[in-house]
Amino acid sequence: MSTSVSAAAADALVPRLAARRSPPASRVPTICRRRIGPSPRLFSSSSPSFPILPAAAMATDSAAPAGSKSKLLVFDSVEDLAVSLAKYTAELSQKFATERGAFTVVLSGGSLIDSLSKLTEPPYLESVDWSKWHVFWVDERVVPKDHEDSNYKLAFDGFLSKVPIPPGQVYAINDALSAEGAADDYEACLKQLVKNGVIAMSTATGFPRFDLQLLGMGPDGHIASLFPGHPLVNEKERWVTYIKDSPKPPPERITFTFPVINSSAYIAMVVTGAGKAGPVQKALSDKQTSSDLLPVEMAVLQDGEFTWFTDKPAVSLLQNK
Ligand SMILES: O=C1O[C@H](COP(=O)(O)O)[C@@H](O)[C@H](O)[C@H]1O
């Protein structure tokens, strides 16, 4: 099924869109030791040619940071979404592997992982240069890697175990540490990878610039482990921080901060289901004030391309759809 959004819906969305500008022990990743090389790391460890929507919905305006773009994609089914997300990701993989010799990909937990299923199948299983992939987590629960709540385990079981990414390029948190310690450790690892040139730096923001962040959103509008009304949404200095009172269990987590999320080159925000229609409507309407922004609305790329991958139920509250 083709990607769809009606011209009317696209037109209606232009203002808001324009304004947004680490299983089994044998496969456990190495942990980042502030040193990248053949030995194990202790962390333990130009746009794709992509069909989309009327050009009107891809506008950029003066209120948005220069160079940022937004797109809304609405699919008939989660299957169609997964097909398209695989193509999008594979094209970015090729682009960054060619341009930089590495492709830095950030995963969230939750429903996002199911949406990556088509990447693990032909033709992508064979055609993607998986050796160039470096995989990170936008957030992680502070639990052992084999725990049911672990975002690493979720990704390993549903995606990483099915594609040949070198295990040393999969940067899970150090699950032997406290939340605070794990956040410090992850941040230190990111800094080392910036130094080594694996992760790019944003000249615009001074924060790391991941090539692609594949994110999900909760029904309350949270992204990563940045929850509505929580002070962490205002963190401006840290790259990675921690939370011990997450409103969604488990309570202890680490998370990228907004400066890092917003320095990305590409973000795919993957949101499906009627249960998320409220925050989608709020994020894509033009009515909110800066004082009541949901975390998902605070994801505003400084210089990059933000693409919503949605299904019809998720956009069901939008007008003129
Ligand atoms: O707790 C989390 O929730 C969000 C959203 O999950 P979803 O199942 O509603 O898509 C997820 O993006 C985040 O990584 C995770 O830790």
Side-chain angles (χ1 to χ4, degrees):
M1 286 295 159
S2 63
T3 305
S4 66
V5 62
S6 73
D11 286 336
L13 290 168
V14 168
R16 179 60 192 132
L17 285 166
R20 304 180 49 82
R21 267 292 155 221
S22 330
S26 59
R27 294 295 308 269
V28 167
T30 48
I31 300 185
C32 190
R33 295 203 175 103
R34 325 268 187 279
R35 158 168 77 75
I36 307 303
S39 39
R41 276 173 225 142
L42 198 57
F43 224 59
S44 161
S45 36
S46 352
S47 304
S49 59
F50 191 67
I52 337 203
L53 48 137
M58 297 190 270
T60 304
D61 79 357
S62 55
S68 68
K69 289 185 196 159
S70 295
K71 297 176 182 175
L72 171 66
L73 309 181
V74 184
F75 297 91
D76 290 335
S77 68
V78 291
E79 165 96 3
D80 291 348
L81 185 157
V83 168
S84 196
L85 185 64
K87 182 173 190 301
Y88 167 91
T89 304
E91 289 181 6
L92 288 178
S93 172
Q94 187 172 1
K95 165 183 158 67
F96 285 105
T98 305
E99 289 176 7
R100 303 184 52 237
F103 182 44
T104 54
V105 181
V106 177
L107 303 177
S108 72
S111 54
L112 180 269
I113 300 301
D114 280 346
S115 305
L116 301 179
S117 59
K118 299 293 176 193
L119 267 177
T120 69
E121 298 172 6
Y124 304 113
L125 185 56
E126 298 81 21
S127 63
V128 166
D129 185 354
W130 299 102
S131 71
K132 300 291 193 295
W133 281 50
H134 293 258
V135 177
F136 305 84
W137 275 265
V138 74
D139 74 323
E140 178 58 288
R141 291 90 178 273
V142 182
V143 294
K145 287 187 192 64
D146 58 358
H147 191 283
E148 283 307 311
D149 286 336
S150 163
N151 282 344
Y152 169 80
K153 176 173 165 46
L154 182 73
F156 181 85
D157 292 347
F159 176 57
L160 297 172
S161 61
K162 301 174 182 176
V163 294
I165 298 170
Q169 294 171 198
V170 174
Y171 306 92
I173 72 164
N174 184 340
D175 60 358
L177 299 175
S178 65
E180 188 173 5
D184 286 350
D185 187 66
Y186 210 71
E187 182 169 304
C189 186
L190 299 187
K191 287 184 171 163
Q192 184 64 54
L193 290 166
V194 166
K195 236 184 203 172
N196 292 358
V198 172
I199 302 172
M201 271 300 268
S202 165
T203 48
T205 68
F207 284 89
R209 180 170 173 79
F210 289 93
D211 300 330
L212 172 63
Q213 300 208 26
L214 292 160
L215 305 183
M217 179 196 81
D220 57 354
H222 86 268
I223 62 168
S225 286
L226 298 164
F227 292 89
H230 197 284
L232 280 192
V233 300
N234 298 315
E235 175 59 49
K236 301 279 190 298
E237 307 290 329
R238 296 292 310 258
W239 294 13
V240 182
T241 188
Y242 66 97
I243 180 171
K244 289 189 158 184
D245 58 353
S246 164
K248 176 179 176 181
E252 300 204 359
R253 295 147 173 257
I254 73 165
T255 182
F256 281 10
T257 60
F258 272 116
V260 174
I261 291 171
N262 290 341
S263 297
S264 200
Y266 289 83
I267 284 182
M269 182 63 69
V270 182
V271 181
T272 60
K276 295 177 179 176
V280 168
Q281 181 198 30
K282 185 169 184 312
L284 296 178
S285 72
D286 206 14
K287 294 184 195 122
Q288 70 285 351
T289 64
S290 57
S291 61
D292 71 347
L293 293 179
L294 293 171
V296 69
E297 298 174 88
M298 299 173 73
V300 179
L301 288 178
Q302 292 302 304
D303 177 18
E305 189 173 293
F306 190 109
T307 304
W308 287 83
F309 285 79
T310 68
D311 64 355
K312 289 182 171 171
V315 298
S316 57
L317 295 179
L318 292 177
Q319 291 179 343
N320 302 319
K321 56 189 180 294

